[in-house]
Amino acid sequence: MTLSLAMITFDSADPVPLATWWAGLIGAEVGDTNGGWFVMVSGGSIPVRLGFQKVADPTPGKNKLHLDLHTEDLEAEVARCLAAGATEVDRQAMGAMSWAILADPDGNRFCVAAP
């Protein structure tokens, strides 16, 4: 038996706007919104689907799972994310690699890294 990654799912109190935000950020499309209860985003620059499910009580604090995204131009991509509504949380570097820790409009953290 083999497992394969089908989707990365975010909990959200209001999944449609969050799914729409991520779709715009990665150049993907929002699929069926299922009445606002479960929204899938596919296509664009991420090879798996993103899911956004409505929950009454999203996990408080820092999310336990996050996306690591890669770019050749860190500053330009961070600027684009910030202009789209992300917030910058921190910057880190290890050797030649550096990355920015950002948060989407719901506060879910994700990293944008460059070599």
Side-chain angles (χ1 to χ4, degrees):
M1 206 174 253
T2 303
L3 293 174
S4 60
L5 182 62
M7 183 172 2
I8 298 169
T9 304
F10 294 79
D11 289 348
S12 177
D14 194 5
V16 174
L18 187 60
T20 302
W21 187 86
W22 274 103
L25 194 67
I26 62 172
E29 294 187 15
V30 174
D32 188 0
T33 61
N34 297 297
W37 290 99
F38 191 84
V39 183
M40 286 195 301
V41 170
S42 59
S45 61
I46 294 181
V48 298
R49 290 175 296 191
L50 299 180
F52 300 84
Q53 65 184 2
K54 185 172 186 140
V55 295
D57 188 21
T59 304
K62 183 180 179 293
N63 49 303
K64 297 183 185 339
L65 177 77
H66 69 270
L67 300 177
D68 285 331
L69 307 173
H70 179 263
T71 183
E72 294 299 320
D73 188 342
L74 181 62
E75 296 310 318
E77 199 58 34
V78 167
R80 188 178 77 83
C81 291
L82 295 175
T87 55
E88 188 168 333
V89 176
D90 196 10
R91 293 279 183 133
Q92 299 286 323
M94 183 179 294
M97 188 171 141
S98 60
W99 64 95
I101 302 167
L102 304 174
D104 70 16
D106 267 12
N108 300 301
R109 293 184 182 191
F110 62 100
C111 295
V112 177

